[in-house]
Amino acid sequence: MAIIFDADRKIFTIHTKHTTYQMMADAKGYLLHLYYGPRTKGNMDYLLCYADHGFSGSPYAAGMDRTYSLDALPQEYPSLGTGDYRNYALDIVNANGTECCDPIFDRYKITKGKYSLQGLPAVWAADDEAETLEIVLKDEVTQVEVHLLYGVLEEADIITRSVIIQNAGTETITVKKALSACLDFVHGDYDAISFYGRHAMERNPERVPVGHGTYRIGSRRGSSSHQYNPGVILAERTATEDAGNCYGMLFMYSGNFVCEAERDQFNQTRFQMGLSDELFAYPVKAGAEFTAPEVIMTYSDQGFSKLSRQYHNCILNHVCKGKYVHINRPILINSWEAAYFDFNGDTIVDLAKQAAELGIDMVVMDDGWFGKRNDDNSSLGDWFVNEEKLGGTLGQLIDRVNAQGVKFGIWIEPEMVSENSNLYRAHPDWALTIPGRAPIRSRNQLLLDFSRKEVREEILKRICAILDQGNIEYIKWDMNRSMSDVYAGNVAYDYVLGLYDFLGKLTSRYSDILIEGCSGGGGRFDAGMMYYTPQIWCSDNTDAINRTRIQYGTSFFYPTAVVGSHVSAVPNHQTGRITSLNTRGVVAMAGTFGYEMNPALLSSEEKEEIRTQLATYRRHQELIREGNYYRLSDPFQEEVAAWMSVAKDQSQALVSVVRLSAEGNPFGTYVKLKGLDAESFYLEESTGNRYCGMALMQAGILLPMATTEYEAYQFTLKKVQDA
């Protein structure tokens, strides 16, 4: 069993394949955290330190014992109002206006299989792959019950955390803060590693020491945001890519979040994550409940690389759903950078002809096909085909594209409304606004209030009417602004639940359509969206050199299979940089692969190179999607960006390298590989050279001498019997 309860000492032990997690309901009823780390035996309650610390209050249940204080003891789910002055996970306002909840251990339940969450995405697993521990804490004054949920995927080394707050009392309460996971460490020096950014430059890693006080990041934008990704690593100061202890928390939610890391007066560290407590106050009536979204936790004693692979495995096998997760996906070309808004039906058909000639699988018609949408100032919400622009019905256009031997995909942005639209003129109250105030515009559009059932049901009806018009096999779902004008404390949370409700109905009705998420690129790149959309456009920045950094940061939590990455035209439309078609192709192959360009502008030599790229990607796509991913360099610090995918059985590997700088009279550049069978030999196919796996990992492979700026290389390795 993965979950064990010692009834005599009230100690809960969770074992995964390589880790142990332990907590104890003590004699006073408080749930104390004991241990999370490498798998171990025995009870860890000897780690608890009791002393009279002064100015650290004791709960009344402690009597005259000054050595017992929740301000100094490691807790499993700290609550405001219990004498703990550190950051808390729970804050409840009671009907009489007091802010206090004193949750005491009441009962527990261990069940086979993984729990699910009403209205929220959650890690899923077969019953024989997981167990669930539910611990119920109860506040005797208000009868509020706090249900702590632990999902244990033993073989995957994953523990998930969620919380359900049940109001078993007689009056309404208000939840002001309800985080999903908390880890308390009684000693240690830690760094927090987060992933900050902006539109078109997402997920840059930043490592800072956790000092005395609070390190806090999050989003108050209504989405998980370009600015901070909801994945954070707490690492020992000495932890590196391949060595040392590190702990990950990944929030499976697409809205506002917070992550806090605090070192207290006794050099203990508290690390917690969940819903942001800003712009949040959620009323819970008597008999009702509130559910906090899930945090996915894992631990590695072999540095960030192992931690990342555990997350990759979890997302690919226990988060993403549907037919496309483990199959080869269509290689597409998107009309956006080829034509922007300036297109008609013939433009799309011509793009399909060019795609067929090159061997590309699909054409995607991006923004501009509906309403009077010839720029980004109108028509969002008017999901009616502009047949005049397309030269016929949508079904006719799809048939014309399919006749070229090419699949058809389409762009939508269902959550938005333009003020210059029929929808807004008919239902201005459907936009998210603060009553009596003019709204905040962004990209000259407003956000529809998806917390309201009637709003999302009408939009769903309109979108389904579009999707029923022909053989649409792909949707790009976009969201091009942040939330503002939050008029009540429940709105931001209920909006995301409304989004999930919409996506759940859409994916259920159209299970054969591949949906790619997008929010100005990577503004909602999170595990919550990945539950519904098995790939997400990684960034609106398609510059190959910038993408090496964006995709590097992305890889710490997310597998290549979910990363939307395309080859675009040069000079690049975001940076103006010129890189070779080969370099752009090598970078884009660290993802789902596709194109953003007008093939009619390419030379015959470039077209032939694209055909070669397509053949290369198709040959390796299963390895890229399913293999173990390794970061071989840090493109923020080193002269090359390098990464590799290794088959699970170590039989083959694909190594990719991009030079980030060029110098006169250069010296040799070596890249050390990872994940190979140290005792075996590997054939590098382009040169015919044979290398020992250990040699490649310890000494590295020598790159060709550079002749131009931003050169890229790929090395294909196959295990062979001998040297």
Side-chain angles (χ1 to χ4, degrees):
M1 289 182 63
I3 303 169
I4 301 167
F5 179 59
D6 182 338
D8 293 332
R9 304 178 74 172
K10 291 187 178 178
I11 291 178
F12 295 91
T13 301
I14 296 171
H15 289 305
T16 70
K17 188 174 183 179
H18 298 107
T19 73
T20 295
Y21 188 105
Q22 198 172 87
M23 58 196 139
M24 176 179 71
D26 71 6
K28 298 168 183 59
Y30 291 104
L31 191 62
L32 304 181
H33 180 78
L34 299 179
Y35 176 80
Y36 186 28
R39 183 159 178 152
T40 187
K41 299 177 181 179
N43 294 327
M44 310 292 283
D45 52 334
Y46 72 88
L47 293 171
L48 299 174
C49 177
Y50 298 95
D52 184 353
H53 291 296
F55 287 85
S56 291
S58 305
Y60 203 78
M64 304 302 288
D65 182 4
R66 297 185 182 183
T67 69
Y68 188 98
S69 175
L70 295 178
D71 193 35
L73 289 168
Q75 294 184 67
E76 193 63 24
Y77 198 67
S79 177
L80 179 67
T82 61
D84 186 350
Y85 294 92
R86 296 169 289 180
N87 293 325
Y88 46 85
L90 180 66
D91 180 11
I92 290 178
V93 181
N94 302 303
N96 62 4
T98 59
E99 290 188 49
C100 180
C101 186
D102 190 12
I104 301 299
F105 177 74
D106 185 71
R107 60 191 186 274
Y108 78 96
K109 181 168 63 174
I110 298 171
T111 54
K112 189 177 180 63
K114 165 70 171 55
Y115 65 82
S116 59
L117 299 175
Q118 181 67 36
L120 285 162
V123 164
W124 55 269
D127 283 351
D128 61 355
E129 293 179 305
E131 290 184 60
T132 292
L133 169 63
E134 179 180 4
I135 298 176
V136 181
L137 312 178
K138 188 172 184 178
D139 180 70
E140 290 299 332
V141 174
T142 62
Q143 298 298 297
V144 170
E145 292 185 351
V146 180
H147 295 244
L148 305 181
L149 300 177
Y150 301 79
V152 185
L153 279 66
E154 185 173 4
E155 287 298 311
D157 283 319
I158 292 291
I159 299 174
T160 67
R161 298 275 304 270
S162 182
V163 179
I164 297 175
I165 298 168
Q166 291 186 347
N167 184 0
T170 58
E171 298 180 282
T172 298
I173 62 171
T174 301
V175 179
K176 287 188 67 176
K177 188 175 186 180
L179 301 187
S180 300
C182 175
L183 287 175
D184 272 359
F185 300 91
V186 293
H187 61 79
D189 291 324
Y190 295 98
D191 293 335
I193 303 171
S194 60
F195 300 85
Y196 75 95
R198 60 189 184 276
H199 175 240
M201 204 63 220
E202 299 90 337
R203 292 177 296 285
N204 304 277
E206 183 173 62
R207 182 171 184 165
V208 299
V210 177
H212 293 96
T214 298
Y215 170 83
R216 178 182 169 109
I217 65 151
S219 172
R220 57 177 73 94
R221 293 172 173 265
S223 62
S224 47
S225 84
H226 298 86
Q227 286 67 30
Y228 294 100
N229 193 264
V232 179
I233 299 169
L234 189 74
E236 286 186 342
R237 296 272 165 86
T238 56
T240 64
E241 183 72 18
D242 299 300
N245 296 314
C246 49
Y247 303 82
M249 285 193 184
L250 181 63
F251 200 29
M252 197 168 171
Y253 183 69
S254 307
N256 294 342
F257 76 96
V258 67
C259 181
E260 298 171 332
E262 174 189 17
R263 192 174 191 182
D264 72 7
Q265 58 185 325
F266 306 117
N267 291 330
Q268 301 178 117
T269 299
R270 176 167 288 173
F271 179 40
Q272 52 187 17
M273 177 179 277
L275 288 167
S276 175
D277 53 336
E278 299 179 88
L279 304 171
F280 179 78
Y282 206 92
V284 182
K285 295 179 180 179
E289 63 184 32
F290 174 82
T291 303
E294 187 168 84
V295 165
I296 307 171
M297 301 193 312
T298 193
Y299 160 82
S300 165
D301 61 355
Q302 298 174 39
F304 313 130
S305 184
K306 180 182 177 184
L307 189 88
S308 293
R309 288 191 298 279
Q310 288 168 188
Y311 274 115
H312 296 176
N313 173 66
C314 179
I315 289 172
L316 199 56
N317 296 302
H318 300 287
V319 170
C320 295
K321 303 180 76 175
K323 62 178 281 187
Y324 288 97
V325 178
H326 292 289
I327 67 171
N328 296 332
R329 300 173 200 172
I331 298 172
L332 62 88
I333 187 164
N334 189 293
S335 71
W336 182 242
E337 289 193 19
Y340 293 100
F341 290 103
D342 186 18
F343 69 88
N344 56 32
D346 289 340
T347 309
I348 301 301
V349 174
D350 287 343
L351 194 60
K353 291 177 180 177
Q354 295 282 343
E357 180 189 334
L358 293 171
I360 294 171
D361 301 316
M362 174 181 286
V363 164
V364 176
M365 182 170 65
D366 208 283
D367 197 353
W369 55 268
F370 55 94
K372 299 177 181 179
R373 182 80 164 175
N374 294 311
D375 56 38
D376 59 7
N377 295 316
S378 77
S379 300
L380 288 169
D382 292 347
W383 299 109
F384 305 104
V385 176
N386 185 339
E387 295 185 358
E388 181 181 356
K389 185 173 186 177
L390 298 188
T393 68
L394 179 60
Q396 289 169 337
L397 176 61
I398 295 170
D399 288 343
R400 293 176 68 195
V401 169
N402 289 164
Q404 308 305 318
V406 177
K407 300 175 187 291
F408 182 86
I410 198 166
W411 175 98
I412 58 174
E413 193 173 3
E415 299 160 76
M416 300 295 158
V417 65
S418 302
E419 291 172 88
N420 182 12
S421 69
N422 293 334
L423 179 68
Y424 184 80
R425 284 184 281 271
H427 299 284
D429 59 306
W430 283 11
L432 194 64
T433 59
I434 297 174
R437 296 182 182 273
I440 303 298
R441 294 190 181 106
S442 180
R443 203 175 181 245
N444 286 338
Q445 61 194 55
L446 304 180
L447 201 61
L448 288 169
D449 190 351
F450 263 39
S451 71
R452 296 170 57 181
K453 183 178 180 181
E454 69 272 21
V455 175
R456 60 182 185 267
E457 286 189 345
E458 174 61 26
I459 301 302
L460 178 63
K461 182 175 72 173
R462 295 187 181 198
I463 295 297
C464 290
I466 294 295
L467 298 178
D468 289 341
Q469 291 184 32
N471 184 29
I472 296 172
E473 299 183 64
Y474 164 100
I475 296 168
K476 182 178 180 182
W477 176 302
D478 214 342
M479 182 209 190
N480 281 312
R481 64 157 293 172
S482 299
M483 180 184 292
S484 54
D485 307 292
V486 179
Y487 59 83
N490 65 299
V491 168
Y493 173 86
D494 283 343
Y495 178 97
V496 178
L497 261 63
L499 167 67
Y500 292 151
D501 175 67
F502 192 118
L503 282 165
K505 290 175 179 175
L506 194 72
T507 54
S508 177
R509 178 167 173 167
Y510 301 102
S511 58
D512 288 335
I513 296 181
L514 171 62
I515 304 179
E516 177 167 316
C518 180
S519 178
R524 201 157 62 182
F525 202 100
D526 59 71
M529 285 299 293
M530 290 167 195
Y531 184 83
Y532 303 97
T533 66
Q535 60 191 55
I536 299 177
W537 185 230
C538 185
S539 177
D540 276 351
N541 186 345
T542 57
D543 173 64
I545 303 308
N546 280 175
R547 270 296 188 110
T548 63
R549 293 183 172 183
I550 295 168
Q551 292 171 191
Y552 170 82
T554 302
S555 73
F556 278 82
F557 283 96
Y558 306 105
T560 54
V562 303
V563 176
S565 188
H566 292 172
V567 178
S568 63
V570 292
N572 179 264
H573 291 193
Q574 292 80 48
T575 67
R577 196 193 320 264
I578 296 175
T579 53
S580 71
L581 190 53
N582 177 62
T583 296
R584 285 174 275 154
V586 168
V587 173
M589 286 186 199
T592 56
F593 201 64
Y595 291 85
E596 302 268 338
M597 59 173 61
N598 183 355
L601 302 178
L602 299 175
S603 67
S604 58
E605 291 79 12
E606 288 172 319
K607 289 182 178 180
E608 190 57 37
E609 187 171 355
I610 284 179
R611 294 187 185 97
T612 301
Q613 281 182 351
L614 291 167
T616 299
Y617 182 73
R618 288 191 171 106
R619 181 183 173 202
H620 296 299
Q621 59 187 326
E622 185 174 351
L623 172 62
I624 293 169
R625 185 183 67 245
E626 306 286 347
N628 290 326
Y629 181 91
Y630 292 88
R631 294 176 291 270
L632 305 181
S633 73
D634 179 351
F636 289 88
Q637 305 292 332
E638 300 178 49
E639 63 181 9
V640 299
W643 62 94
M644 67 187 292
S645 297
V646 183
K648 291 286 197 294
D649 63 2
Q650 300 177 306
S651 63
Q652 59 178 319
L654 179 67
V655 181
S656 301
V657 185
V658 178
R659 289 190 183 271
L660 303 177
S661 62
E663 297 179 354
N665 194 18
F667 45 80
T669 302
Y670 300 82
V671 175
K672 292 182 179 181
L673 309 189
K674 298 178 182 179
L676 301 175
D677 182 348
E679 300 301 319
S680 295
F681 281 84
Y682 288 85
L683 170 69
E684 200 291 297
E685 293 190 344
S686 64
T687 62
N689 293 334
R690 298 190 180 210
Y691 305 93
C692 174
M694 179 65 80
L696 289 172
M697 293 189 289
Q698 292 299 317
I701 193 167
L702 175 63
L703 300 184
M705 297 301 287
T707 59
T708 60
E709 192 175 31
Y710 304 130
E711 283 188 351
Y713 320 97
Q714 285 183 320
F715 304 96
T716 301
L717 301 171
K718 293 274 191 179
K719 186 187 287 190
V720 292
Q721 295 300 316
D722 52 47

